[in-house]
Amino acid sequence: MDNRINLYQRTVIFSLLFTLMGFSYNVWRMEVSENNNNIRTASFEMLINLSSLEQLVYSAYYDDDLKEGNPRKGWVIVGLIDDLSVLTDDEVKAKTTALKDVWSVNWETISTSQQTVDKVVGSLDSVREEIKILLNSLD
């Protein structure tokens, strides 16, 4: 009888430990999945806004269309990209900060300078590439 009670107690303790470990893993996995989902969503939104900014730059310079290529509208897009980068990683944040710096120095000459267009588009491509690296690294 004592062996049976001892066996039952061990079984109960093992069952509780196994349940706690399973629950802990499940909570951890859900948290990681949610974080990855937030990163993916922010990254996709950033890619869409990077394309919009690139289109704005091309409209301003190549089409000489300051309605579609209004550099002031670019500030809004650059700000949104920078805000969304908080949900990504440090490398993407650094690239978006660099994009914001490039934009702040060059936005006024976007419609008249090929060099400015090249700088801004290069910075856009840099952010885009870093986002792709981040997305490929997610679990």
Side-chain angles (χ1 to χ4, degrees):
M1 186 78 171
D2 282 337
N3 275 344
R4 251 184 166 170
I5 292 174
N6 194 9
L7 180 63
Y8 289 145
Q9 288 174 341
R10 289 176 191 223
T11 303
V12 168
I13 290 171
F14 176 76
S15 297
L16 283 172
L17 288 175
F18 190 73
T19 302
L20 286 174
M21 286 180 7
F23 180 73
S24 297
Y25 174 78
N26 190 35
V27 168
W28 171 80
R29 186 70 240 171
M30 286 175 48
E31 186 175 319
V32 168
S33 295
E34 181 66 23
N35 186 49
N36 286 346
N37 189 39
N38 289 341
I39 290 171
R40 279 186 196 94
T41 301
S43 295
F44 294 143
E45 286 295 320
M46 288 174 68
L47 288 170
I48 290 168
N49 282 286
L50 287 166
S51 295
S52 295
L53 185 60
E54 189 172 27
Q55 180 61 46
L56 182 145
V57 169
Y58 290 154
S59 292
Y61 184 75
Y62 293 110
D63 300 337
D64 200 26
D65 182 356
L66 291 181
K67 184 176 179 188
E68 288 294 317
N70 187 335
R72 286 183 181 88
K73 290 180 185 177
W75 273 112
V76 175
I77 298 170
V78 169
L80 180 58
I81 292 167
D82 190 52
D83 290 344
L84 288 168
S85 72
V86 173
L87 299 172
T88 61
D89 67 358
D90 292 337
E91 289 81 13
V92 173
K93 284 184 226 174
K95 297 290 183 176
T96 58
T97 299
L99 170 63
K100 191 173 185 179
D101 293 343
V102 168
W103 184 260
S104 68
V105 171
N106 295 289
W107 72 275
E108 293 175 301
T109 58
I110 207 74
S111 62
T112 59
S113 170
Q114 177 69 49
Q115 185 179 11
T116 296
V117 170
D118 292 342
K119 285 180 187 177
V120 172
V121 171
S123 189
L124 287 168
D125 289 341
S126 180
V127 174
R128 190 177 284 127
E129 192 60 37
E130 199 61 48
I131 289 171
K132 290 176 187 176
I133 291 168
L134 172 62
L135 288 173
N136 285 328
S137 72
L138 296 178
D139 295 332

